[in-house]
Amino acid sequence: MASITLTPTKQLSLESNATQTLSLLERCSRMEELKQIQAQMFKTGLVADTITVSRILTFCVSPKYGNLEYAQMVFDRVSRPNTFMYNTMIRGYSNHKEPEKAFLLYQQMLCHSVPHNSYTFPFLLKACSSLLAIEETKQIHAHVIKLGFGSEVFATNSLLHVYATSGSIKAARLLFDQVPERDTVSWNSMIDGYTKCGKMEIAHEFFKDMPTKNVISWTTMISGYVGAGMFNEALNLFHEMQIEGVKPDNVALASTLSACSHLGALDQGRWIHAYIDRIGVEIDPILGCVLIDMFAKCGDMEEALEVFRKVRKKEVSLWTAVISGFAIHGRGREALVWFDNMQKVGIRPNHITFTTILTACSHSGLVEEGKSLFESMDRVHKLSPTIEHYGCMVDLLGRAGFLREAMGLIEKMPVKPNAVVWGALLNACRMHKNVELGKKIGKFLIEEDPNHGGRYIHLASIHAVAGDWDRAVEARRQMKDRGVSKLPGCSAISLNGVVHEFLAGGQSHPQITDIYQMWDSIGERLEKEGYKPALGNLLLDLEDEANEMAINRHSERLAIAFGLLGTKPGTTIRIVKNLRVCEECHTVTKLISKIYDREIVMRDRTRFHLFRDGKCTCGDKW
DNA sequence: GTAGGGTTAG
């Protein structure tokens, strides 16, 4: 008796019949096995019946294997594919890289008069959704109605989802109001749609009004808040969810942790981490990444590494999260060690890993290492550098003072440099006081995008570095005159588990009078230590034109004053959100840490600073 | 005797 060997337990004898073939297909776990089974079927003269072909197609289009070419080959050899097979192929294409081909199959299906069933439209509309194809959606919508699927909840839900999340929220609303049957999925899609176009109040109305909420409803609303930058609202909603007794799953936890991470709400984040351990949720790579990111951003690399050790599936994203943690702490050497170790265990770095490791090198002054990594991207790893990587390199060279080399790199970039790349060079000009080049770039950037507030601020800061306050104020004034708005500076501080936010010029905090008084006394102490503010007074009189320049520092000073009020000497103050820690702020905070004997932790968009006893760990040389 | 096998939302 002849037989082929698949795996020791899976043998297919010549006598096997269709039923055995099916059970083999069911247990099949690799593409190779599938091909062997098919070869054997051919050899033994077994003709694949409808269900066997269906099984094969299902196997090939599953996201895990995704061998659509092979599925298409099998499909092409079926003389008259039935609805199921068409549906399966449409599903396959809609989930993978060529959603357009789903439309092609649908066309064939119509040509051959193969009937639809209730599965056809959800698959087809998924393709519309990934292509943001509103025109096609409208056409399919017409078919849904014409073919009598207008009251099928799956079909109408899929339509709702495409309209709501592809920029046609009004069409979604119209449909939502008229469909005969609505379920939780319909409501969830509406909430998702409204959060995606920034209509947070309406989204919340829907959320409040819906008859039954499930964990996805809660998560949609929470991640909607996170996407809109409303982190406190996100956290509050998570607490409400707990009170309602809805058990959060990994997605809900990841969204909430991301809110904690943005807010710097380390206490709440720790609570959720403990909760995850307590209820025994497995830390999947996504949850692992947000936990690592949160601890790293809040300053606790040890806890971040502890999480890394606990995650079973150590994917590239997890290693990258750790490397990113070292990067924001200016621990470039360790980042490099982890980058090497990751490859030693057979994990290949991707584009994001390179962005991260280049940032780490840049922030730690590891110029040679960065250059050699950048060069190795294409040569060793077969990854072509993107504009982000060029941006990192300009930043790396620029920070190290190689302005000409950075300029040269920009000139020979294969793609048009964007504002991020120029911004990196401009920042380098500011650091190294290259006023001439800085002014040129600053003006150029404003011409490119006159409505972008940040550009004016950049130019102003260059003039400020040169001590040319008149021009600096002028750049600010120009911005004001053109009606360009800038988001007000914002700082947040975490104290006893509560996050307090301060806006530049803000007066709304209940203890605002004490805070201003505190800052006055801080100012006196600082001046006694010999500190002289570069411009204007310390806290800034916001009415005073000359102080326009330093308005950014207003919010962080309110936060520090508040922190000093609420803590004792020898303890830690956490400024958990801040736009940028500038040179002035650095000097002031170093002094405060010494005079008031506090450890001050400060996080800006890219860095982590720990001020202790008049020093800072970030390693920046001003 | 003609089902079976596969759906939508974070």
Side-chain angles (χ1 to χ4, degrees):
Chain A
M1 190 183 292
S3 69
I4 58 163
T5 306
L6 299 166
T7 58
T9 50
K10 291 178 187 171
Q11 296 217 328
L12 184 68
S13 82
L14 275 173
E15 287 168 5
S16 28
N17 53 28
T19 321
Q20 273 182 312
T21 313
L22 278 181
S23 85
L24 267 178
L25 279 172
E26 245 162 36
R27 287 185 285 135
C28 186
S29 60
R30 284 190 347 222
M31 207 60 213
E32 281 313 303
E33 284 179 20
L34 178 104
K35 287 184 181 169
Q36 282 187 44
I37 294 168
Q38 273 199 287
Q40 188 63 14
M41 280 170 64
F42 182 72
K43 240 181 171 173
T44 53
L46 255 176
V47 178
D49 62 347
T50 319
I51 182 141
T52 311
V53 172
S54 303
R55 285 269 170 82
I56 292 171
L57 289 180
T58 307
F59 178 86
C60 293
V61 305
S62 69
K64 203 170 157 193
Y65 304 102
N67 196 333
L68 280 172
E69 296 79 18
Y70 196 77
Q72 185 71 55
M73 212 182 76
V74 174
F75 182 81
D76 286 341
R77 283 162 59 173
V78 181
S79 56
R80 295 188 53 200
N82 64 10
T83 308
F84 180 90
M85 294 175 196
Y86 270 106
N87 285 350
T88 307
M89 289 307 291
I90 292 174
R91 174 164 62 104
Y93 281 118
S94 70
N95 286 332
H96 292 89
K97 45 185 183 275
E98 300 169 294
E100 306 87 357
K101 288 207 175 156
F103 298 143
L104 219 71
L105 273 147
Y106 182 59
Q107 220 170 32
Q108 281 177 37
M109 197 176 175
L110 291 173
C111 279
H112 295 102
S113 312
V114 178
H116 296 69
N117 64 15
S118 53
Y119 291 90
T120 312
F121 290 111
F123 296 147
L124 199 52
L125 288 161
K126 191 155 212 173
C128 294
S129 170
S130 31
L131 290 167
L132 300 177
I134 282 295
E135 279 313 308
E136 284 80 354
T137 306
K138 286 180 186 163
Q139 289 177 31
I140 294 166
H141 192 168
H143 284 209
V144 168
I145 294 167
K146 216 163 86 180
L147 296 164
F149 290 88
S151 49
E152 282 268 349
V153 74
F154 277 100
T156 50
N157 276 345
S158 299
L159 278 168
L160 269 181
H161 174 243
V162 193
Y163 285 134
T165 54
S166 312
S168 304
I169 189 70
K170 280 186 182 156
R173 181 61 191 267
L174 224 63
L175 183 60
F176 180 85
D177 286 338
Q178 72 183 29
V179 288
E181 201 189 330
R182 290 192 298 233
D183 60 9
T184 311
V185 178
S186 331
W187 286 87
N188 288 349
S189 287
M190 292 307 288
I191 296 168
D192 191 29
Y194 278 116
T195 63
K196 289 228 162 80
C197 63
K199 302 233 173 15
M200 300 308 293
E201 292 87 12
I202 308 182
H204 193 239
E205 286 292 310
F206 269 78
F207 178 77
K208 270 193 308 191
D209 292 346
M210 65 192 296
T212 29
K213 301 177 183 62
N214 61 15
V215 65
I216 295 182
S217 322
W218 289 92
T219 315
T220 306
M221 199 61 223
I222 291 173
S223 43
Y225 278 137
V226 173
M230 299 164 75
F231 307 116
N232 269 318
E233 285 81 355
L235 274 195
N236 290 340
L237 204 61
F238 179 75
H239 289 140
E240 262 184 62
M241 178 178 173
Q242 300 274 94
I243 294 164
E244 294 284 318
V246 180
K247 195 180 161 209
D249 61 9
N250 277 7
V251 188
L253 292 167
S255 276
T256 312
L257 280 169
S258 157
C260 294
S261 166
H262 280 283
L263 282 171
L266 187 57
D267 301 332
Q268 321 224 29
R270 280 208 185 99
W271 184 89
I272 294 174
H273 187 185
Y275 173 82
I276 289 169
D277 287 345
R278 194 170 71 235
I279 62 175
V281 169
E282 163 151 6
I283 302 185
D284 64 13
I286 296 173
L287 214 42
C289 279
V290 283
L291 279 170
I292 290 173
D293 183 68
M294 181 189 70
F295 286 129
K297 284 203 175 122
C298 296
D300 207 319
M301 269 318 276
E302 287 317 307
E303 277 179 85
L305 295 177
E306 194 59 46
V307 174
F308 178 85
R309 282 181 215 113
K310 273 202 296 197
V311 182
R312 213 160 35 83
K313 257 183 97 184
K314 294 185 180 22
E315 291 180 354
V316 57
S317 58
L318 214 68
W319 287 86
T320 307
V322 172
I323 294 170
S324 161
F326 284 124
I328 60 175
H329 284 268
R331 291 161 69 172
R333 291 271 168 218
E334 284 153 284
L336 284 171
V337 170
W338 279 72
F339 184 77
D340 283 342
N341 286 346
M342 149 183 174
Q343 291 172 73
K344 277 184 196 145
V345 299
I347 309 270
R348 284 165 47 184
N350 61 20
H351 278 102
I352 304 171
T353 321
F354 271 101
T355 309
T356 314
I357 191 73
L358 290 176
T359 308
C361 290
S362 173
H363 286 179
S364 305
L366 302 166
V367 182
E368 286 312 313
E369 289 82 351
K371 275 158 95 169
S372 120
L373 281 167
F374 182 69
E375 185 265 332
S376 78
M377 277 187 75
D378 189 45
R379 191 175 50 80
V380 183
H381 303 274
K382 306 284 172 251
L383 294 168
S384 52
T386 66
I387 196 150
E388 279 81 25
H389 302 113
Y390 278 97
C392 291
M393 284 311 288
V394 171
D395 188 57
L396 176 115
L397 295 168
R399 272 175 195 271
F402 302 113
L403 291 175
R404 196 170 297 169
E405 212 176 318
M407 194 65 212
L409 188 68
I410 292 181
E411 276 162 5
K412 65 170 204 245
M413 270 174 64
V415 280
K416 190 172 172 266
N418 61 12
V420 178
V421 175
W422 287 115
L425 189 59
L426 184 57
N427 191 42
C429 291
R430 189 183 52 76
M431 287 173 75
H432 296 284
K433 309 207 193 314
N434 188 330
V435 181
E436 280 318 303
L437 184 57
K439 278 191 214 165
K440 268 190 222 155
I441 301 169
K443 278 192 186 137
F444 166 75
L445 280 172
I446 290 177
E447 279 165 24
E448 285 265 297
D449 192 359
N451 292 317
H452 191 299
R455 307 278 174 271
Y456 298 84
I457 313 242
H458 263 315
L459 182 60
S461 68
I462 287 285
H463 289 302
V465 152
D468 192 343
W469 300 108
D470 292 343
R471 291 239 170 96
V473 172
E474 191 193 303
R476 287 270 180 169
R477 172 68 74 73
Q478 199 181 26
M479 174 173 151
K480 219 177 186 177
D481 290 348
R482 291 187 188 173
V484 180
S485 63
K486 173 190 168 290
L487 290 172
C490 175
S491 297
I493 176 168
S494 173
L495 202 65
N496 306 321
V498 183
V499 177
H500 304 256
E501 279 192 329
F502 293 93
L503 294 179
Q507 302 284 341
S508 60
H509 197 275
Q511 282 163 268
I512 195 72
T513 321
D514 297 343
I515 293 168
Y516 275 95
Q517 258 175 23
M518 184 66 202
W519 190 266
D520 283 341
S521 97
I522 294 170
E524 281 169 26
R525 299 269 311 257
L526 287 173
E527 274 171 30
K528 241 184 242 165
E529 293 284 321
Y531 171 76
K532 277 196 181 57
L535 179 76
N537 61 28
L538 262 172
L539 185 56
L540 319 168
D541 176 0
L542 294 172
E543 303 291 314
D544 184 348
E545 274 280 321
N547 279 330
E548 271 280 308
M549 275 306 301
I551 190 165
N552 280 339
R553 288 167 222 150
H554 195 256
S555 66
E556 72 200 21
R557 293 192 176 171
L558 294 179
I560 288 184
F562 179 69
L564 286 174
L565 280 170
T567 53
K568 291 190 177 70
T571 57
T572 302
I573 297 175
R574 290 179 185 280
I575 310 288
V576 293
K577 189 169 86 183
N578 207 41
L579 285 176
R580 196 167 70 79
V581 177
C582 64
E583 182 175 4
E584 252 246 7
C585 169
H586 228 255
T587 314
V588 167
T589 315
K590 278 197 277 198
L591 264 175
I592 293 177
S593 76
K594 196 170 147 195
I595 300 170
Y596 288 89
D597 183 26
R598 304 285 203 285
E599 187 177 80
I600 302 174
V601 163
M602 202 181 273
R603 195 180 110 200
D604 65 20
R605 272 180 312 196
T606 53
R607 308 292 297 276
F608 188 87
H609 307 256
L610 194 153
F611 299 88
R612 189 193 288 151
D613 200 26
K615 291 189 196 76
C616 177
T617 55
C618 80
D620 263 348
K621 291 167 198 72
W622 297 99

